[in-house]
Amino acid sequence: DRPPYLPIVAIFAIVNVMYFANIIPPIPLALKDSGIFHSISRLEPGKYEVITEIEPWYSFLQTRQKVRIITGNDLYAYSAVFAPSRLALSITHEWQYKGSDGWQTTSMFSFPIIGGRDGGYKGYSIITNVKEGFWRVNIKTPTGQLIGRINFEVDIVLAPPNLVIESR
């Protein structure tokens, strides 16, 4: 005896509330790949070479990436965002450090994307003068909607960690 359109209206309302409350990522954008690296080099359009640490076999169980650096070294945040054809907008990398007052934004970098690439539109940002502690990079739209987040912990070490080169 219930009207057939009621479940459709309910689903539509729930998705809209979750979208505008920033609970789900902005549709139609999707984070395909991301990470924190010691170095990034662009080989050709859509192809990058990254230098990262050798991860232990149990790293998939960790909730945040651990990064070991020597004082004064830079860190790179990499992201690949899928966007449909003919969609053009900017993506922002918001670097945040967890201090005694909570999360504090240390820098923000924006770069344009144009949709349609199978592997997602790839880009990166760099930060210098990295402090030891908990960090995160929010990957956001120009309106502030969160596409994804990279959580990581920085440890300052005296000797360089074991590094490996990967393609992205």
Side-chain angles (χ1 to χ4, degrees):
D1 293 339
R2 188 172 51 184
Y5 61 86
L6 195 58
I8 296 169
V9 172
I11 291 170
F12 178 77
I14 290 168
V15 168
N16 274 292
V17 167
M18 292 174 67
Y19 176 77
F20 288 109
N22 208 15
I23 295 170
I24 59 174
I27 302 167
L29 301 177
L31 186 64
K32 302 223 17 143
D33 190 17
S34 64
I36 300 296
F37 302 104
H38 290 265
S39 179
I40 296 178
S41 301
R42 184 175 178 199
L43 302 175
E44 59 186 64
K47 300 285 184 189
Y48 289 87
E49 183 177 85
V50 300
I51 297 177
T52 186
E53 294 180 34
I54 297 173
E55 296 288 332
W57 67 269
Y58 55 85
S59 63
F60 68 93
L61 297 172
Q62 298 173 337
T63 57
R64 65 180 69 239
Q65 183 180 350
K66 291 198 182 248
V67 181
R68 293 157 209 60
I69 63 168
I70 297 173
T71 302
N73 284 9
D74 303 335
L75 284 180
Y76 296 72
Y78 164 87
S79 63
V81 176
F82 171 79
S85 300
R86 291 180 271 163
L87 179 70
L89 62 114
S90 292
I91 296 297
T92 300
H93 283 181
E94 178 184 36
W95 289 79
Q96 294 185 325
Y97 175 75
K98 188 169 187 178
S100 57
D101 298 336
W103 291 105
Q104 301 162 359
T105 300
T106 60
S107 59
M108 292 178 72
F109 301 94
S110 293
F111 51 90
I113 68 166
I114 298 170
R117 180 172 283 156
D118 286 339
Y121 185 85
K122 300 173 182 181
Y124 65 94
S125 60
I126 307 166
I127 191 166
T128 59
N129 300 322
V130 181
K131 297 186 278 189
E132 191 168 65
F134 295 107
W135 287 81
R136 69 184 182 188
V137 176
N138 295 321
I139 303 159
K140 299 165 70 171
T141 66
T143 58
Q145 293 174 301
L146 189 65
I147 300 170
R149 178 176 288 149
I150 308 168
N151 293 305
F152 61 102
E153 181 180 355
V154 173
D155 288 331
I156 305 293
V157 295
L158 299 175
N162 293 331
L163 301 175
V164 64
I165 298 173
E166 295 179 358
S167 295
R168 297 283 171 144

